[in-house]
């Protein structure tokens, strides 16, 4: 239970109670509204105002008190429903948090890694497209984890994408300025490309050293 969450829920509950009371006094407003967050506590009934019998005459609202009080008792708590009755509470919470990571991975796959839309038709090429995307996602997650989750996958991608160079003359290249994320990635692999200009032989050596450190 979190005190801040509890206070926020109580504030929302006060607004909800005001809206419920307004609809109880004016049922016609209830019909005109979208009733989001309110309708589960109100039940529409048709009543003949002369006899009291349930008929198709006039709509009134009934406030379902028991349902409302049950939800009020949970204010400040975040409840999880699970079928895993034998699983420890900590593991249930950890797995629930993992669901968010899975959902975020699909988002990264579709947007940042351009998994969708697919511009190929043959089945083998579709499979190849998604294989490349999943491998890229795996590498991105490994890199994100090794960087201790300091940076999002999107920022890591942008940093690597911006780490480019341009040819000047006679095998000499000018390097763009690398940011802090790129420097942290270099530290992971025990290399450095902190130069303004560099020869092609140094770039090749740099690449070989990264591959060598990955295999260790």
């Amino acid at each position: 239970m979190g005190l801040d969450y509890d206070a926020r829920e109580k504030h929302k509950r006060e607004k909800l109670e005001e809206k419920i009371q307004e609809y109880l006094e004016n049922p016609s407003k209830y019909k005109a509204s979208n009733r989001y967050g309110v309708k589960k506590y109100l039940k529409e009934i048709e009543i003949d105002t002369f006899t009291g019998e349930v008929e198709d005459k006039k709509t009134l609202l009934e406030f379902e008190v028991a349902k409302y009080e049950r939800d009020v008792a949970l204010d400040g708590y975040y409840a999880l429903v699970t079928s895993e009755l034998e699983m420890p509470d900590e593991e249930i919470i950890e797995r629930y948090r993992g669901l968010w990571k899975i959902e975020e991975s699909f988002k990264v796959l579709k947007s940042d890694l351009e998994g969708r839309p697919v511009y190929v038709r043959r089945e083998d090429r579709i499979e190849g497209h998604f294989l490349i995307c999943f491998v890229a996602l795996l590498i991105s997650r490994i890199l994100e984890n090794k960087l201790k989750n300091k940076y999002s996958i999107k920022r890591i991608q942008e940093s690597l994408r911006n780490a480019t160079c341009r040819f000047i003359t006679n095998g000499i290249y000018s390097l763009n300025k690398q940011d802090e994320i790129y420097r942290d990635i270099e530290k992971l692999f025990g290399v450095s490309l902190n130069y303004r200009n560099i020869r092609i032989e140094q770039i090749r050596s740099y690449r070989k050293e990264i591959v060598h450190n990955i295999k260790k």
Side-chain angles (χ1 to χ4, degrees):
M1 179 176 181
L3 295 178
D4 291 342
Y5 183 65
D6 179 49
R8 185 170 68 249
E9 289 300 301
K10 280 183 169 54
H11 177 70
K12 290 167 60 178
R13 187 72 61 186
E14 290 174 1
K15 297 292 184 182
L16 187 62
E17 288 174 356
E18 292 176 4
K19 188 63 68 175
I20 288 173
Q21 188 60 39
E22 179 184 353
Y23 289 147
L24 288 172
E25 295 174 358
N26 302 282
S28 59
K29 290 185 177 181
Y30 174 82
K31 285 187 174 182
S33 74
N34 61 13
R35 298 173 288 185
Y36 177 75
V38 175
K39 66 178 181 180
K40 63 179 178 179
Y41 303 123
L42 297 174
K43 181 180 179 181
E44 291 183 90
I45 53 176
E46 304 290 340
I47 290 185
D48 185 319
T49 55
F50 293 101
T51 65
E53 296 178 358
V54 177
E55 296 181 2
D56 188 16
K57 291 291 181 70
K58 182 178 180 180
T59 300
L60 295 180
L61 297 176
E62 178 183 335
F63 180 32
E64 299 192 272
V65 180
K67 185 183 292 185
Y68 184 78
E69 290 180 346
R70 180 198 63 194
D71 287 354
V72 169
L74 293 175
D75 280 354
Y77 294 89
Y78 194 91
L80 298 178
V81 180
T82 178
S83 60
E84 303 298 330
L85 303 181
E86 305 300 324
M87 188 179 293
D89 295 346
E90 295 79 7
E91 188 174 349
I92 291 174
I93 293 172
E94 189 61 32
R95 292 199 179 187
Y96 180 80
R97 288 173 177 167
L99 291 177
W100 170 84
K101 203 68 173 177
I102 293 172
E103 292 172 358
E104 198 243 354
S105 291
F106 278 108
K107 181 180 178 181
V108 169
L109 193 65
K110 289 190 292 184
S111 57
D112 299 330
L113 299 179
E114 300 180 1
R116 299 283 299 273
V118 180
Y119 295 105
V120 290
R121 294 184 179 181
R122 279 176 36 182
E123 184 175 348
D124 59 333
R125 293 183 179 178
I126 293 174
E127 290 177 353
H129 169 77
F130 281 109
L131 176 61
I132 292 171
C133 290
F134 279 114
V135 170
L137 177 63
L138 175 61
I139 294 173
S140 298
R141 284 297 188 206
I142 292 174
L143 195 54
E144 181 185 37
N145 184 60
K146 285 185 173 293
L147 290 169
K148 303 186 184 304
N149 296 303
K150 286 173 59 179
Y151 314 107
S152 67
I153 286 181
K154 185 177 182 63
R155 291 188 63 195
I156 293 172
Q157 287 178 329
E158 289 175 349
S159 176
L160 293 174
R161 190 179 295 118
N162 292 333
T164 59
C165 60
R166 64 184 180 87
F167 176 73
I168 299 179
T169 184
N170 297 328
I172 298 176
Y173 289 79
S174 173
L175 302 179
N176 287 338
K177 184 178 180 181
Q178 291 88 24
D179 58 20
E180 61 170 332
I181 301 177
Y182 190 87
R183 292 295 171 218
D184 283 349
I185 293 173
E186 283 189 322
K187 290 176 185 177
L188 288 177
F189 298 101
V191 295
S192 176
L193 203 61
N194 192 14
Y195 305 99
R196 182 174 181 180
N197 298 318
I198 191 172
R199 299 190 66 84
I200 186 63
E201 292 80 10
Q202 289 176 278
I203 295 177
R204 290 169 179 165
S205 175
Y206 175 86
R207 183 180 61 186
K208 289 180 180 178
E209 193 169 354
I210 290 176
V211 173
H212 174 72
N213 291 341
I214 290 175
K215 292 180 178 179
K216 286 199 303 186

